[in-house]
Amino acid sequence: METLRIFRLLPVVDEADPRWGNADNQGEVTVRAYSAADARLVAAEAEDDFLEMNVAPADGNSTRMFSAFRDEKLYTVIEDITGVHSSEGPRGVVAGNIRPVILSTRQVDENG
């Protein structure tokens, strides 16, 4: 069994940067993952996804691939070797607050 490691995902651009217009800035997040690439996936998986809601962009399409955590221009990944968080435990978020993504849906009145 492969040992998990601790990684910190840190925003690398200012909150005023226009690239945040397409993604949520979740601040710093710390995860337990296999690698730096896996750390991005762990953080993205912790966000809400259209498939978990009553709306979807199209049947069977996930929105997780568009997470800011996967964008190297928005987030960097640094291995945390401080020992503050144990590498023993399940793969997942160990610190930080990943807020739910608020989705706006249009509701059509039955009367037109």
Side-chain angles (χ1 to χ4, degrees):
M1 178 177 202
E2 196 171 353
T3 304
L4 296 173
R5 300 181 312 199
I6 302 297
F7 295 94
R8 294 172 51 214
L9 289 91
L10 304 160
V12 292
V13 295
D14 186 81
E15 287 190 33
D17 191 290
R19 285 176 282 200
W20 289 117
N22 295 328
D24 285 341
N25 180 347
Q26 300 281 14
E28 181 178 339
V29 175
T30 304
V31 301
R32 187 178 294 113
Y34 295 109
S35 65
D38 187 46
R40 290 183 182 279
L41 296 176
V42 169
E45 289 168 359
E47 291 182 310
D48 285 338
D49 185 43
F50 275 107
L51 295 180
E52 296 169 352
M53 302 181 163
N54 292 330
V55 297
D59 291 336
N61 290 329
S62 173
T63 56
R64 285 203 171 101
M65 71 171 101
F66 302 108
S67 170
F69 293 119
R70 296 182 61 150
D71 187 337
E72 294 175 355
K73 293 179 181 174
L74 294 175
Y75 273 91
T76 191
V77 180
I78 300 169
E79 186 170 5
D80 183 343
I81 57 172
T82 64
V84 171
H85 302 284
S86 173
S87 61
E88 293 184 19
R91 181 178 169 268
V93 176
V94 297
N97 184 22
I98 296 182
R99 298 175 305 280
V101 176
I102 305 302
L103 300 174
S104 174
T105 60
R106 279 183 47 204
Q107 294 181 346
V108 178
D109 185 345
E110 291 179 13
N111 297 324

